[in-house]
Amino acid sequence: MTGVVAVVALSAGAAWAVLPDDAEDPAAATAADCSATEVATMGEAAELAVACGHDVAAIESYDPWSSLQATPDGFVRQVENAGAVRTDLSGAWEPVDPSIVKDPQTGELKIASPVYDVSLDADSPEKLISMSTDAGSVSMGLPLDLGESVVEGASVSWPVLNASGEAIDGALVRVDVQPDATGVTPVVEVANRDAYDEVAKSAGPGGLAFRVTTTSGLTVAPSGSADAGFEVRDGVGEKVFEGGRALQWDSSGATEPGAAEEPEPVPPAAGTVPDSGASLVDGAEAAPGLERSAGDTEANLELTTLSDRSLTLSPMRR
């Protein structure tokens, strides 16, 4: 969605530019490149918009979600988007693209045009997903061995392997890139209880858990927000990343994640954060067990399974 949220007049006291006296001169319009819809600065955008009679965006105002556009009548329009529409991760602004692509030489998986630097590495399951900014990086992984990847658009999946290196029937790990390429959602899918038991066995004595790891200088802690399970903050306390509450549900039933129907209350698993808000949906409980940790240490999102039907675990939404 795109909407106009603010209009500011350009005048002698405006922050960006004052229109020149000859801005409406036909000669100025003739000299201008009226095919351009964006220019470097707001001053240039203001001149071109008046000379050519159409809106012109100022590149210096860009961020992934918003921009400023000069209008022909001497005003500035601020455009806000519900999701990210552009990224400058490559060094120049370009449209976002959530598609997952594979390097033909190395086989490395990456997002075509993301807002943040994201890597996917099934050869290191404990760091299956890593996301980086200037403040540092955070990784999320599983204690599972994964098979050959299958890429479908903005989604990639891997079969879960047992101790013998064979694919477990009905078990896979999937990572979906958000439509605006700002984050990812990892999901463990199991078709039935037998498949889940095999996955839990392959996970080892530590159990099935999404593990969050940060670089030095970043701290992981439970979030105070009702919509998020954990936060990653830098050394001065600024939030750098945020992950959603761990969810699990029976995907064979009619109840969708987040629905109002609640089963009988079940106490959270040992080691969980009691006030973090377990999600009770259709007979299954998600008990996010996130411990406080400093940089270079780890914290688990523990999930317990109380349903004999198929279920899905979805722990992280950027």
Side-chain angles (χ1 to χ4, degrees):
M1 296 185 299
T2 300
V4 176
V5 299
V7 177
V8 182
L10 278 179
S11 65
W16 292 287
V18 179
L19 298 185
D21 293 337
D22 63 348
E24 299 185 32
D25 187 334
T30 302
D33 178 8
C34 290
S35 66
T37 58
E38 62 177 12
V39 291
T41 69
M42 183 53 67
E44 292 174 289
E47 293 182 22
L48 194 62
V50 172
C52 297
H54 62 73
D55 292 354
V56 181
I59 296 173
E60 67 178 1
S61 73
Y62 285 178
D63 66 27
W65 299 268
S66 65
S67 64
L68 296 178
Q69 299 178 354
T71 68
D73 52 5
F75 286 81
V76 173
R77 177 181 292 112
Q78 180 173 336
V79 179
E80 294 281 350
N81 300 280
V85 295
R86 65 181 69 87
T87 174
D88 64 347
L89 192 62
S90 66
W93 288 108
E94 57 189 7
V96 298
D97 183 349
S99 302
I100 295 176
V101 295
K102 180 181 290 189
D103 186 299
Q105 272 75 42
T106 66
E108 178 187 3
L109 295 175
K110 60 181 181 179
I111 301 173
S113 184
V115 175
Y116 305 105
D117 186 12
V118 178
S119 63
L120 303 170
D121 185 6
D123 291 332
S124 179
E126 290 284 353
K127 293 186 177 181
L128 178 64
I129 306 163
S130 294
M131 185 177 294
S132 302
T133 68
D134 292 340
S137 65
V138 58
S139 300
M140 175 173 276
L142 289 158
L144 298 172
D145 291 329
L146 305 177
E148 188 68 24
S149 63
V150 177
V151 176
E152 297 181 85
S155 178
V156 58
S157 61
W158 302 265
V160 180
L161 305 182
N162 60 22
S164 301
E166 300 171 334
I168 298 173
D169 187 29
L172 61 85
V173 172
R174 191 182 79 243
V175 173
D176 298 319
V177 182
Q178 294 177 7
D180 67 350
T182 57
V184 296
T185 302
V187 178
V188 177
E189 293 185 355
V190 291
N192 49 52
R193 184 70 194 203
D194 290 339
Y196 180 83
D197 289 341
E198 284 293 310
V199 171
K201 181 179 178 180
S202 296
L208 181 60
F210 285 88
R211 186 177 298 271
V212 179
T213 309
T214 69
T215 55
S216 180
L218 297 180
T219 302
V220 181
S223 172
S225 169
D227 298 325
F230 67 94
E231 298 174 345
V232 178
R233 294 183 176 272
D234 62 18
V236 295
E238 292 292 328
K239 185 162 62 176
V240 181
F241 299 102
E242 184 176 83
R245 288 183 301 169
L247 301 175
Q248 75 181 38
W249 64 88
D250 176 14
S251 59
S252 68
T255 304
E256 293 296 326
E261 179 183 343
E262 293 187 1
E264 296 181 5
V266 182
T272 63
V273 182
D275 61 354
S276 64
S279 173
L280 301 176
V281 180
D282 196 25
E285 183 204 20
L290 186 63
E291 300 175 355
R292 235 171 244 281
S293 67
D296 289 325
T297 61
E298 300 171 330
N300 284 343
L301 293 175
E302 302 283 351
L303 298 106
T304 58
T305 302
L306 304 175
S307 171
D308 288 334
R309 294 162 292 182
S310 64
L311 52 89
T312 303
L313 313 178
S314 178
M316 181 178 181
R317 293 185 184 278
R318 171 69 176 87

